[in-house]
Amino acid sequence: MSEWVLTVGLEIHVELETKTKMFCGCLNDPFNSKPNTHVCTVCYGLPGALPVMNRKAVEMTARLGQALNGKIASRPFWARKNYFYPDLPKGYQISQSTEPLIRDAVLVIDGQPHRIHRIHLEEDAGKLMHDNNGKSLVDYNRAGVPLMEIVTEPDFHSAASAKHFCQELQQVIRHLGLSQADMEKGRMRCEANVSISKEGEELGDKVEVKNINSFRAVEKAIEYEYSRQKSLREKNERVAQETRTWSEKEGKTIVMRRKETSADYRYFPEPDLPFVAVKLSGKEQSALLPEEQRSKLRQLGMPEAIAKSIVERQEFESIISTYQAASNRFKKDEVARKMMIEDGKMRLGFPRLSELSASERVTLLDEKDKRGWTKPTMEKIIEAVLGGGKSVSETVAELSSESVDLSDILKEVVSQQPKAVEDYHQGKEAAFNFLVGQVMAKTKGQANIGLVREELKKTLG
Ligand code: ZN
Ligand code: MN
């Protein structure tokens, strides 16, 4: 029997962080204000109120489309998507249907292209809150916040790759300054269309899973759906085409409703808004995508994991400028490269390091190499330099009497554990690991374990 193939398409909503809402002048501030304080006749959908398009939100969406090599539509327009819900006072959402802003974009991750079917712009709904007495409250501060919807092609065949896509997309959006896109806050929300089929068979009916509120949940919800659908199919039962919700608490998907088709929304062109005209200047110089930043760091000799972490922390610019400063200072690329790699590694552990000047960093790194400093020692020195306004060399001279270096800890452990030392000399590997464990414990797990092993071997002779 052939295996079941999982097929997933994603629909991702992201709130744009513009100053004002999509179709009125109300502040776009759904998180920090009292309920219903950023609202007007447009937000409430009162009769006669007219929407005015937020140019900035259109530009932001177009910039994402441009960064992902999408086609910007020549004459995109707005449409009404009709449905009734208490958080949607107009009875329709202004969205885009047949002419979305962007089509056929591509997000490249680790050299692999991922196809995006469309990116369109719409407005967010309000937020419902349900109390314990059966009452529901609604906050319209979020109603009308600009919302981008990114729809992928159904190209994912594993839960992990779908999750990875969401993570990379978040980085791209952060990088372009469109939104923080945090999933916990609901600034980014994922829905997964999941189906299974036998190889060579047509795609099965898809199930839409909503309310996925973390990257981890993207993976878990898809995995859950895969097993649920598989066990249905293996019992020769049909998988119903429906919308389900992910319950984080129960770790499963629960049926919400039978799927509407797009005909149920009775889309029609929004008569109160004009066509959208999109003009963008050339691709901005600073707009290196995370994938491009990682590859640039790799070219300069930075190890993969460190490059990844630097890009994730949006520290690419400062690492590159440190690199350039070091190259200028030494006029020797090899030194600069080593410096940059070290700096990248260090920065993972010591965020405040970037507050030191490039030359101070070089001195500090040299000292660290010579002395095999542990993390607490390094932290102490960085804090002392930043707090005391003295140079690294002065601070090191002052502190060296009191700071505990790795070599001191090694000597201490060796003298406290004569039995283990003896066992080690008789060739017992476990004894060596025990000693490494003792050293790590004394450094509170902060020392580099590779360095500890190396130095311990030397100390033991
Ligand atoms: Zn308003
Ligand atoms: Mn939508």
Side-chain angles (χ1 to χ4, degrees):
M1 198 171 72
S2 66
E3 277 299 300
W4 293 100
V5 179
L6 167 74
T7 300
V8 179
L10 296 168
E11 289 176 26
I12 300 167
H13 285 88
V14 177
E15 285 180 350
L16 291 171
E17 285 171 41
T18 51
K19 203 161 154 235
T20 56
K21 290 188 184 179
M22 190 61 234
F23 298 114
C24 64
C26 292
L27 276 190
N28 173 1
D29 181 21
F31 299 109
N32 309 310
S33 312
K34 276 197 191 153
N36 299 308
T37 49
H38 300 304
V39 284
C40 70
T41 53
V42 173
C43 297
Y44 281 139
L46 296 182
L50 288 172
V52 176
M53 190 189 323
N54 184 332
R55 172 194 296 264
K56 186 83 189 160
V58 174
E59 274 174 18
M60 286 164 104
T61 307
R63 258 204 284 149
L64 178 64
Q66 185 188 42
L68 302 181
N69 286 313
K71 295 188 195 106
I72 300 181
S74 53
R75 239 166 116 74
F77 64 88
W78 302 102
R80 289 188 182 179
K81 180 182 182 180
N82 296 280
Y83 66 97
F84 172 77
Y85 210 65
D87 60 13
L88 187 76
K90 289 197 294 290
Y92 59 85
Q93 177 193 35
I94 303 179
S95 180
Q96 298 183 305
S97 57
T98 53
E99 286 301 313
L101 262 168
I102 311 295
R103 272 189 193 286
D104 300 329
V106 177
L107 175 56
V108 180
I109 310 172
D110 301 332
Q112 290 296 317
H114 293 74
R115 297 184 302 156
I116 293 169
H117 176 60
R118 56 184 281 158
I119 304 174
H120 70 254
L121 192 51
E122 56 191 31
E123 55 178 338
D124 209 346
K127 202 173 165 68
L128 288 169
M129 283 154 286
H130 311 284
D131 71 11
N132 295 327
N133 309 315
K135 274 193 213 140
S136 290
L137 301 163
V138 61
D139 175 8
Y140 290 118
N141 282 347
R142 201 178 72 177
V145 164
L147 195 63
M148 252 182 346
E149 182 173 333
I150 297 124
V151 182
T152 74
E153 297 290 350
D155 284 352
F156 301 96
H157 299 291
S158 76
S161 65
K163 174 179 120 182
H164 197 184
F165 178 90
C166 295
Q167 289 170 319
E168 183 74 9
L169 183 68
Q170 180 192 57
Q171 278 196 42
V172 170
I173 287 166
R174 286 185 175 175
H175 177 76
L176 295 173
L178 310 182
S179 174
Q180 273 307 298
D182 5 29
M183 289 193 78
E184 323 75 67
K185 282 193 182 168
R187 280 251 189 235
M188 174 165 169
R189 311 194 279 270
C190 294
E191 291 163 28
N193 290 307
V194 184
S195 69
I196 64 164
S197 56
K198 285 276 166 100
E199 210 146 339
E201 185 188 88
E202 246 178 68
L203 283 189
D205 275 338
K206 67 180 182 191
V207 170
E208 185 178 348
V209 185
K210 286 184 181 287
N211 296 319
I212 303 176
N213 298 323
S214 67
F215 290 127
R216 177 107 182 77
V218 171
E219 199 169 17
K220 283 199 290 185
I222 294 170
E223 273 164 4
Y224 178 86
E225 262 310 297
Y226 175 76
S227 350
R228 189 186 69 86
Q229 294 182 20
K230 187 173 139 192
S231 73
L232 280 174
R233 292 287 304 268
E234 279 172 356
K235 285 185 279 182
N236 277 325
E237 283 174 38
R238 243 188 88 232
V239 175
Q241 179 168 338
E242 62 196 4
T243 302
R244 301 175 72 89
T245 181
W246 170 246
S247 164
E248 185 65 45
K249 218 168 67 200
E250 296 170 70
K252 61 181 197 176
T253 64
I254 299 162
V255 65
M256 273 171 91
R257 56 173 183 257
R258 288 288 134 108
K259 177 77 183 146
E260 309 86 350
T261 64
S262 84
D264 294 326
Y265 291 122
R266 292 167 292 121
Y267 279 101
F268 64 86
E270 163 64 65
D272 293 336
L273 285 164
F275 283 92
V276 184
V278 190
K279 263 204 204 106
L280 275 180
S281 48
K283 196 167 175 174
E284 284 166 50
Q285 191 56 43
S286 65
L288 275 190
L289 289 180
E291 171 88 356
E292 295 165 325
Q293 295 185 345
R294 283 193 297 265
S295 110
K296 170 119 184 135
L297 291 171
R298 269 196 304 263
Q299 277 166 26
L300 293 170
M302 172 95 52
E304 182 69 39
I306 296 164
K308 212 175 141 219
S309 165
I310 284 167
V311 173
E312 235 165 64
R313 288 159 173 254
Q314 294 186 280
E315 289 189 333
F316 175 78
E317 301 291 342
S318 68
I319 289 283
I320 286 292
S321 65
T322 307
Y323 173 75
Q324 267 151 3
S327 308
N328 292 341
R329 188 177 142 88
F330 295 104
K331 311 246 181 297
K332 247 171 107 189
D333 255 355
E334 210 31 60
V335 179
R337 179 168 298 131
K338 178 172 180 282
M339 157 81 198
M340 192 186 71
I341 293 168
E342 277 300 316
D343 194 60
K345 275 192 229 161
M346 301 269 298
R347 204 175 283 239
L348 298 183
F350 310 107
R352 294 200 73 194
L353 186 74
S354 55
E355 293 170 43
L356 296 178
S357 71
S359 63
E360 286 289 278
R361 269 185 248 171
V362 175
T363 315
L364 189 58
L365 290 167
D366 282 351
E367 292 289 331
K368 176 186 162 276
D369 278 353
K370 261 189 261 160
R371 298 165 190 250
W373 279 333
T374 57
K375 184 164 177 171
T377 310
M378 279 295 287
E379 262 163 6
K380 211 153 134 190
I381 293 165
I382 294 169
E383 287 305 318
V385 172
L386 290 171
K390 287 186 182 148
S391 72
V392 168
S393 348
E394 283 168 333
T395 311
V396 169
E398 272 173 31
L399 284 178
S400 56
S401 51
E402 44 171 302
S403 68
V404 183
D405 289 344
L406 186 56
S407 60
D408 295 335
I409 294 178
L410 289 169
K411 280 181 210 141
E412 201 183 318
V413 168
V414 167
S415 73
Q416 283 171 355
Q417 304 289 347
K419 176 81 176 74
V421 173
E422 200 188 311
D423 287 351
Y424 166 77
H425 286 303
Q426 280 163 8
K428 288 187 189 157
E429 187 59 19
F432 181 70
N433 289 334
F434 168 78
L435 290 168
V436 171
Q438 293 294 304
V439 175
M440 290 306 286
K442 279 199 195 292
T443 67
K444 300 194 173 63
Q446 301 296 334
N448 175 322
I449 191 154
L451 185 70
V452 168
R453 296 181 72 89
E454 218 172 90
E455 292 297 315
L456 183 61
K457 276 207 177 108
K458 279 190 218 154
T459 311
L460 288 166

